[in-house]
Each structure stands twice: as structure tokens, then as C-alpha cells.
Amino acid sequence: MREIHADVVIIGGGVIGLSIARALARRGVRDVCLVERGGLGAEASSAAGGMLLPQVEADGHDDFFALACRSRDLYPSLAAELRDETGIDIELDTTGTLYLALTEQDYEDIEQRYEWQTRAGLAVELLTSAAARELEPCISEATFGALRFPNDIQVENRRLITALANSVNTLGITTLTETTVERLIVDGHRITGVQTSRGEISCQRIVLAAGTWSSFIRRIPAITPVRGQMVCLESKPQLTRHVIFSPRGYLVPRQDGRLLAGSTSENAGFAKRVTAGGVAMILRQSLEISPSVANLPIVDTWAGLRPRAADGLPVLGPCGEIDGLFYATGHYRNGILLAPLTAELISEAIVAGKTTPLLAPFSPDRFSTQPVLSV
Ligand SMILES: Cc1cc2nc3c(=O)[nH]c(=O)nc-3n(C[C@H](O)[C@H](O)[C@H](O)COP(=O)(O)OP(=O)(O)OC[C@H]3O[C@@H](n4cnc5c(N)ncnc54)[C@H](O)[C@@H]3O)c2cc1C
């Protein structure tokens, strides 16, 4: 590859890198180059369940909750735009989510969640066991009760990746796949380019969106992999219309008859393996939700690596130590959910040169080892 120049280089072609590339192009930045080590979206972004559930597990209102709700609420317009731009339906399913209480302790927890979310004016319904089973007859007879979250929805994340990749292509962004970024090129405290496996790209701005591999490019903040395994069942007709969640597992119905059952949360390094123990645990969790799962054929299994920062929160915004370096990583369990807002806020920070206060709690500088100098 001869030496090329770009205005902005994005490292990583998962849902985060692709969404930012699209947002930059839509804000008028034409000279964007996205560099992806393998194929677009082939890592965590394809492994995910596509659930957009800020409310389901939230026990209070904090900065992360606000970010997640705002991002979820961008999905209907994103789905419409992507359909217009690419003709691809990302299968945004707005049926909602049921969160089951399958033990007495689960029930105490959901009552508390119901109370704070109702007080906060959020949409949530408390259902008796009978009402929940009337809505979804497949759920276990042992259900004590359930919460229904009408606004916590799901998207077909693999179709989302395809639509984003098509959109980015139409918008004229250069995508280099099968190309690894080996290191950042920095002159003093300023970005001047990246060294890739196929040559150098000169640029003044870089977005680090390499998911769980981000720390191979810059050590701090440390992003570590949390493995999640998934079992794909076939259910025709579909077992459930809602996403069904419990404190231990979940079932996600897809329009084509696939029923995703997840997941595990393992510190297993970068070994992206499906294990007998992982599959056994997922099936146990799924059968607890719905004994009917026992009759369904298993059609696929896979594993992916969730990118986690030390405090479990995303790492978003400009780097205080190196001018021109922006982080968009550490999305952990919520990268599909957070992609639309991440793209808006990071592209705004790059184009307008200022960051919104919304990003402050997620700044990469919270992990900085440099002492803050007082003057
Ligand atoms: C089993 C499972 C279920 C999940 N379910 C959900 C869910 O329901 N809802 C939700 O919101 N989130 C979910 N997630 C989390 C979500 O998948 C991630 O947070 C999200 O995909 C992260 O996106 P990303 O683009 O940062 O990372 P990735 O998709 O991993 O993309 C990073 C990309 O960077 C590339 N890369 C790495 N190093 C380099 C380099 N040096 N040079 C060039 N390219 C490089 C990689 O090849 C990769 O393609 C789930 C994850 C798993 C594993």
C-alpha cells in the first residue's frame, strides 16, 4: 500500500467504528479511513444478542443510565434512516421485554426496581404470574411475577452491521479490511498517523474503536475481554414475542425463527471458545425461564469478547495526553445499545472540537497515571 493520507482514521470496524465513520461522513467529513484487522463487525458486534435494555437491570438513575436511555431512543430514527440509505431492515423489534422473577429473592428485587422506575416516571408494568403467562404462555409455571418494559427493545445486530457497512460504503468512506493497525505515530503530544500492516497512513485525528483489543494499541486505559457464549436454537413458530430476561439468563426471539439463548460472563483471556460448561449453563438458565426450550433443536453456538474497562463503564472522548486521539471503546455489555449515541457524541467532538458534558463521566482521562499538576 502506498502511503495514504486521511483526515480521520478509525481503528476497528465493529458496530462502534462503523457507526462513528457513518456519523462523521454525515457531518461532512469526507476523508475518513476505517482500518479493520479482519472482516467488518466479525467480533463482539456479531456475537451480541442485540438487546437494547437500559431499564431492565438498572437500580438507579446515574450518568450511564441517562446515556443508555438516550442511545436506545435514537434507534427508531436510525432504523428508518438505514432503510432509506441501504434498503436493509435492521429488524428493530419494539414488542418489549419481560423480566421474570423466578425466586422469592428475584421478586423482592423486581418490586424495588418497579418502585424507583415508576417514581422516576419511566415506562414499566408489574405483572402477576398469571398475567405474565397470559402474555407469554411459554414461561415457567414457577414464575412469581414479572416486569414488562415496553421501551426496552431489540435489534438484529448482524443486519445492523450489514446496513452500517453498506451505508459507510455509499458515503464514500475508505475501508481497509484485513489490515492491522500496529501502532500510533505521535510527534511530541500530537497524532501524525498510524502504522498498519500494509503501510503508513498520515492523519491528524484517530478514533480508537478496537473493542477488547484497544489496549494493544494504547495500554492505558486497560480494556480486558469478558467472554460471552451464546446458544442459537430454532423455534418455528417462535416461542415468545418478547425478549425474556431473568437475573440469570435471557431468550431473544428473531424474526427468522432463531431463538438466541445467553449468556456467560467469563474471564478467559482472548480464547474465543465455546465450552461444554458454558453451553450447559446457558441451557440450564434457558430451561429455568421456559421448560419448552427442551424441545428445540440447537442450530449454532458461538462466543465473543466484550470489551471491559476497569470500572465497567465505556471510555469515550478525547485523550488529554495526546492531541488528536479520541477513544470509543470499553462498551462492555452494551455496545449495540450505545452505538448510535457514541457515534453522535464522538463525531461532534471531532467536528466541533468540543465535548458535551454528557461525555465527562466517561473520559479516558479518568484512568490517567499522570499526576494532575497544580499551578
Ligand atoms: C455474547 C454477547 C452478547 C452481547 N449482547 C449484547 C446485547 O444484547 N446488547 C448490547 O448492547 N451489547 C451486547 N454485547 C456487547 C457488544 O457486543 C459489544 O459491546 C460491542 O459489540 C462492542 O463493539 P466494538 O465495535 O467496540 O467491538 P468489536 O465488535 O469487537 O469490534 C472491534 C473491532 O476492532 C478490530 N481490531 C482490533 N484490533 C485492531 C487493530 N489493531 N487494527 C485494526 N482493527 C482492529 C477487531 O477485529 C474488531 O472487528 C454482547 C456481547 C457478547 C459477547
Side-chain angles (χ1 to χ4, degrees):
M1 186 177 81
R2 61 183 171 78
E3 188 182 323
I4 59 173
H5 173 81
D7 191 9
V8 183
V9 168
I10 297 173
I11 308 173
V15 72
I16 299 299
L18 284 167
S19 300
I20 294 171
R22 173 175 175 271
L24 282 170
R26 283 161 56 92
R27 284 177 189 268
V29 184
R30 286 287 156 217
D31 204 1
V32 178
C33 179
L34 183 148
V35 187
E36 164 55 48
R37 190 189 54 178
L40 296 176
E43 294 290 348
S45 301
S46 288
M51 295 171 289
L52 312 173
L53 315 180
Q55 287 179 236
V56 160
E57 289 186 296
D59 286 322
H61 209 305
D62 57 14
D63 294 323
F64 178 78
F65 182 70
L67 194 80
C69 287
R70 280 177 78 142
S71 197
R72 174 197 62 190
D73 297 342
L74 292 176
Y75 259 96
S77 55
L78 176 65
E81 286 163 12
L82 287 173
R83 193 198 274 270
D84 283 351
E85 285 166 37
T86 68
I88 296 171
D89 175 6
I90 62 170
E91 296 180 4
L92 185 68
D93 182 331
T94 57
T95 308
T97 299
L98 279 190
Y99 186 101
L100 306 187
L102 293 156
T103 65
E104 279 181 43
Q105 179 61 51
D106 293 351
Y107 194 75
E108 280 175 30
D109 294 345
I110 70 166
E111 276 187 320
Q112 279 175 17
R113 201 159 293 159
Y114 175 73
E115 273 160 31
W116 90 259
Q117 295 204 6
T118 312
R119 256 185 283 118
L122 298 160
V124 53
E125 299 153 22
L126 181 59
L127 305 180
T128 62
S129 168
R133 280 171 53 77
E134 197 172 318
L135 214 52
E136 293 294 359
C138 72
I139 64 177
S140 165
E141 285 178 19
T143 303
F144 280 73
L147 295 181
R148 178 171 182 273
F149 296 92
N151 297 339
D152 273 6
I153 54 182
Q154 60 137 325
V155 67
E156 216 298 44
N157 43 294
R158 293 183 183 179
R159 291 180 76 95
L160 172 65
I161 293 294
T162 309
L164 288 170
N166 280 18
S167 165
V168 156
N169 190 32
T170 311
L171 290 164
I173 285 163
T174 305
T175 48
L176 302 175
T177 53
E178 310 295 333
T179 309
T180 303
V181 170
E182 290 165 349
R183 64 182 179 87
L184 308 179
I185 305 173
V186 181
D187 183 6
H189 289 282
R190 167 147 273 297
I191 286 291
T192 58
V194 287
Q195 179 64 48
T196 81
S197 52
R198 292 166 63 192
E200 202 174 301
I201 307 172
S202 63
C203 63
Q204 263 116 47
R205 279 155 316 169
I206 287 176
V207 181
L208 181 51
T212 200
W213 298 272
S214 298
S215 299
F216 288 110
I217 294 164
R218 197 151 188 271
R219 207 166 41 85
I220 296 167
I223 304 294
T224 52
V226 177
R227 184 168 71 194
Q229 301 185 42
M230 197 81 95
V231 174
C232 180
L233 305 150
E234 188 178 73
S235 178
K236 290 180 179 171
Q238 197 49 272
L239 200 61
T240 160
R241 291 182 310 113
H242 290 79
V243 170
I244 307 189
F245 214 89
S246 85
R248 292 161 287 282
Y250 54 77
L251 295 173
V252 186
R254 294 291 204 228
Q255 286 182 19
D256 62 2
R258 285 176 304 140
L259 182 69
L260 309 188
S263 179
T264 59
S265 215
E266 305 161 82
N267 296 316
F270 290 88
K272 215 176 55 177
R273 289 195 199 106
V274 175
T275 63
V279 171
M281 190 173 116
I282 292 168
L283 292 178
R284 231 179 6 257
Q285 293 163 170
S286 305
L287 289 162
E288 187 195 25
I289 290 173
S290 170
S292 309
V293 163
N295 301 319
L296 302 178
I298 295 174
V299 291
D300 200 0
T301 57
W302 60 81
L305 302 176
R306 305 177 185 96
R308 187 182 190 281
D311 57 7
L313 296 173
V315 180
L316 304 172
C319 167
E321 289 165 27
I322 303 180
D323 286 348
L325 176 60
F326 294 80
Y327 281 81
T329 186
H331 289 80
Y332 190 31
R333 301 170 66 209
N334 292 292
I336 307 296
L337 168 62
L338 295 173
L341 190 60
T342 297
E344 284 314 311
L345 299 181
I346 297 294
S347 61
E348 182 187 38
I350 291 173
V351 172
K354 57 179 172 38
T355 52
T356 140
L358 257 184
L359 281 181
F362 310 105
S363 164
D365 297 341
R366 70 189 190 273
F367 299 106
S368 175
T369 53
Q370 303 289 318
V372 177
L373 299 175
S374 54
V375 284

